[in-house]
Structure formats: C-alpha cells, structure tokens
Amino acid sequence: MSNTHQEAIKQFLSLMGNVDEKLNDTFQNMHHGYPTETLARFLKARDWDVQKAYKMLIDCLQWRIQNEIDNILSKPIIPADLYRAVRDSQLVGLSGYSKEGLPVIAIGVGLSTYDKASVNYYVQSHIQMNEYRDRVILPAATQKYGKHISTCLKVLDMTGLKLSALNQIKLLTTISTIDDLNYPEKTETYYIVNAPYIFSACWKAVKPLLQERTKRKIQVLQGCGRDELLKVMDYSSLPHFCRKEGSGSSWNRSNGTIDNCFSLDHSYHQQLYNYIRHQANLIESGRPIKQGSVHVEFPEPDPEDTKIAKTIESEFQRLADQNGICNSLNGLKVNGD
C-alpha cells in the first residue's frame, strides 16, 4: 500500500475516533475485527478521497441503525413455503470457494423472475445473504485459509435473459444501490457466462458508462465459462450452470446432495435459513416468530446507476422495436406490496 493510501487510512481512523457510541457500535459489528481493511474499502469506492469516504461510511452506519441491519439475521422469512418461493425466483447461492479461498457466489440473472413475493422480501433476503457472507462465510474462510479473506467472486448466469427482464430493472437497481453504498468493494471479479445476444447488445452500450475500477472487475467469458473458471476454482466449486453436463436449470445429484446452489435444499441455503431461525429463537425465547417482511429504506440511486439503468432500458426498447414487440413492454414496472 502506498504512503498516500496509508496516510488516507490514518486520517480516516482519526475521523472515526470522534463518532458517537451508536455509530461506533454498528461499525464494530460491521468490520468484524478488521477496521483498517473496512476503511480501505470505502476509500477505494471514493477514489481515496477521505472526506467523501467518511461521508459514505457515516451514511452507511446511519442506514444500518435506522433499518436495524445488525438484527436482520434474526428475522426469518416465514413460513418456509414463502421462503422457498423467494429462493425459486431470486436465484443466488454459494457454489464453493476459489483456489485462493474466496467464496464463489452464483447468480441466475436470466432466470430470476422476482415475481413470487413483494419487493421487500427480495431486498430483505438479499441483505441477509450479504450479512451472512460478512459475518459467517468470510470469517470461516479467513480461519480455514489462514489469511484475511474479505471479498468474493461472482458468476452471473445470463441463461434465459429476455426482454421481459425490463420488468425487474427497478428492483435490481435498488439492490445494486444498496450494495454500492453499504457493501462496497466486496466483489473481486464478476464473471459473466452463457450470455445471449441481448446481453452483448446491452453490454456494448453500458460498458462505456462504467468506472475503470468496475470495468476491470468484469470478465465476459465464452459459453458456460467452464475452462476459464477452472483456472481459478476446482470443478467441485463450479456453479451447476458452468458444468458441461448441466444446463441453467439442471438438477444433478452427486454424493446424494443437490448441486443446484440456488435451491433451498442446497447445504448453503439450509445452513443460512437454520442460522436465521436459530438467531430468531434466541431473541424471541419461545414466543412465536413474527411473520411479515422487514421494510428496509431504499437509498436514492447514484446518478451513475440511474444512467446505467436508463441505458439498459433504452437498449432493451431498441431491441424490442427491432423485434416488433414494442407494445408489450409499455408500462412495465416492478410491483411492490
């Protein structure tokens, strides 16, 4: 780390020494014993501008307090059938670890429909997976590999991406904004696989709008990306949609376990759901667990994110016009509660 960067961290630490007790408590819960590394993430996200990074972190800590994020892992989505419906329509899972020990998060972008529950449940579930990653998965990886691991790899499956994905653009922008503002610099590399023409067209339009830092993290791989991904992870950690014998919706069984890491029956989701229920039982101590979604305040999207969303919308519209199905896209919007 350069002297300039070390000096920025020193200044940032000094500013954090003056925050009130509430903010400091949630900061402790957030950094998990690695305050310097956490400050470095916020500095990276603001191009090492100390004042901007400080404002970003204070805003994040206030968001955590206002929305009780420190307690979100004790608020299960119940009944289990509702949670299964969320899992079946918000395709995210942990498929394994890279050779360097980084968790491999698989995301089914093209086949996620987000239509089985209200927006609040999907946002709640997304934040819970973020918090479980930061509080449980990353500390366990750090311990196992004997070095501090604070980031993950994401493999984005574009199988099934259609023009109707425009329906989800508002929700996806919300989730993306929550990540950008409150969980910055947690992804080392994004691997895009199984990309159809519609993705390629959008990528061409969106790429120039991205910051260089973001662009460097994105790799669009050929086909299912299997050979490239095997350079950074073992076969057992490959998401199911990157294996030759499987497709985006495959349900291969090996050693009696389901390989599809999107499924609620996969070990990762079982552990996550059981962890949340256990935390809820500790707090409620015998009282019935409350039903209903957690209402998290949605942050205002960054102007750059808004511009990217608009570009994707207009690119989808252009493709729709080419296909002569423009009318079916008019008035599409995300349904709330």
Side-chain angles (χ1 to χ4, degrees):
M1 191 180 286
S2 72
N3 289 340
T4 317
H5 289 172
Q6 283 176 341
E7 183 55 37
I9 287 173
K10 200 172 152 189
Q11 285 178 34
F12 204 167
L13 275 168
S14 169
L15 288 171
M16 290 305 292
N18 301 321
V19 302
D20 67 36
E21 195 180 345
K22 254 188 173 180
L23 289 174
N24 192 47
D25 285 348
T26 199
F27 182 54
Q28 299 278 337
N29 290 336
M30 193 177 128
H31 70 56
H32 311 291
Y34 293 94
T36 306
E37 289 82 353
T38 301
L39 298 184
R41 286 195 294 108
F42 280 80
L43 282 162
K44 271 186 208 167
R46 290 295 175 262
D47 296 319
W48 294 88
D49 182 313
V50 177
Q51 288 302 326
K52 285 181 181 175
Y54 175 66
K55 183 187 183 307
M56 182 190 188
L57 179 53
I58 295 299
D59 288 347
C60 165
L61 296 175
Q62 286 171 340
W63 173 82
R64 292 182 71 86
I65 291 166
Q66 285 160 8
N67 295 285
E68 299 182 1
I69 302 298
D70 288 346
N71 299 326
I72 203 163
L73 285 181
S74 60
K75 295 172 180 174
I77 293 173
I78 52 174
D81 283 352
L82 173 60
Y83 189 61
R84 184 175 289 280
V86 169
R87 289 280 52 82
D88 288 346
S89 50
Q90 179 185 38
L91 304 179
V92 185
L94 176 77
S95 66
Y97 295 82
S98 75
K99 292 173 184 176
E100 295 288 313
L102 274 61
V104 178
I105 311 281
I107 304 172
V109 177
L111 293 171
S112 290
T113 54
Y114 297 100
D115 60 353
K116 301 284 190 292
S118 76
V119 166
N120 286 300
Y121 280 116
Y122 290 114
V123 172
Q124 176 182 344
S125 175
H126 179 79
I127 294 170
Q128 285 177 331
M129 285 187 279
N130 278 355
E131 291 291 317
Y132 187 73
R133 173 198 65 199
D134 294 350
R135 297 187 213 179
V136 178
I137 299 289
L138 290 170
T142 294
Q143 199 173 4
K144 182 180 175 182
Y145 290 90
K147 60 180 178 181
H148 182 223
I149 293 173
S150 62
T151 56
C152 61
L153 304 178
K154 288 186 176 172
V155 185
L156 280 58
D157 180 23
M158 297 292 165
T159 300
L161 188 67
K162 295 185 182 75
L163 291 169
S164 56
L166 192 55
N167 207 3
Q168 295 131 33
I169 198 91
K170 191 176 167 191
L171 171 58
L172 294 175
T173 304
T174 297
I175 285 174
S176 166
T177 303
I178 286 170
D179 283 356
D180 289 348
L181 297 180
N182 303 294
Y183 303 93
E185 300 296 318
K186 295 299 288 187
T187 304
E188 199 77 20
T189 312
Y190 296 89
Y191 296 101
I192 314 278
V193 301
N194 298 320
Y197 169 73
I198 186 174
F199 169 80
S200 310
C202 280
W203 177 236
K204 208 171 163 185
V206 166
K207 196 177 178 183
L209 304 177
L210 300 175
Q211 293 179 359
E212 280 307 315
R213 193 181 69 251
T214 307
K215 257 187 257 188
R216 283 195 297 270
K217 290 183 180 184
I218 299 170
Q219 293 188 32
V220 181
L221 305 182
Q222 276 202 312
C224 70
R226 183 178 184 265
D227 296 341
E228 285 298 309
L229 291 171
L230 284 174
K231 293 174 186 173
V232 293
M233 67 188 75
D234 293 332
Y235 184 83
S236 60
S237 290
L238 274 182
H240 58 284
F241 50 78
C242 295
R243 300 179 182 190
K244 266 186 183 165
E245 67 270 28
S247 66
S249 56
S250 69
W251 286 70
N252 301 320
R253 289 181 179 270
S254 67
N255 303 325
T257 62
I258 291 180
D259 274 345
N260 185 340
C261 65
F262 298 152
S263 167
L264 179 53
D265 299 315
H266 188 269
S267 58
Y268 160 72
H269 281 299
Q270 284 295 303
Q271 286 159 15
L272 166 61
Y273 198 49
N274 289 337
Y275 180 92
I276 296 173
R277 289 186 72 103
H278 178 65
Q279 295 299 314
N281 287 329
L282 288 178
I283 288 173
E284 297 298 334
S285 58
R287 291 195 299 271
I289 299 167
K290 288 177 192 159
Q291 292 191 24
S293 64
V294 172
H295 284 242
V296 173
E297 191 184 317
F298 298 166
E300 278 299 309
D302 183 277
E304 283 183 19
D305 286 349
T306 306
K307 194 175 177 185
I308 288 165
K310 291 276 179 215
T311 304
I312 292 170
E313 280 188 57
S314 61
E315 199 54 32
F316 270 43
Q317 193 68 53
R318 186 183 68 78
L319 292 165
D321 290 347
Q322 277 179 5
N323 287 310
I325 54 165
C326 179
N327 294 337
S328 65
L329 291 178
N330 288 342
L332 283 175
K333 58 179 184 286
V334 172
N335 295 316
D337 280 332

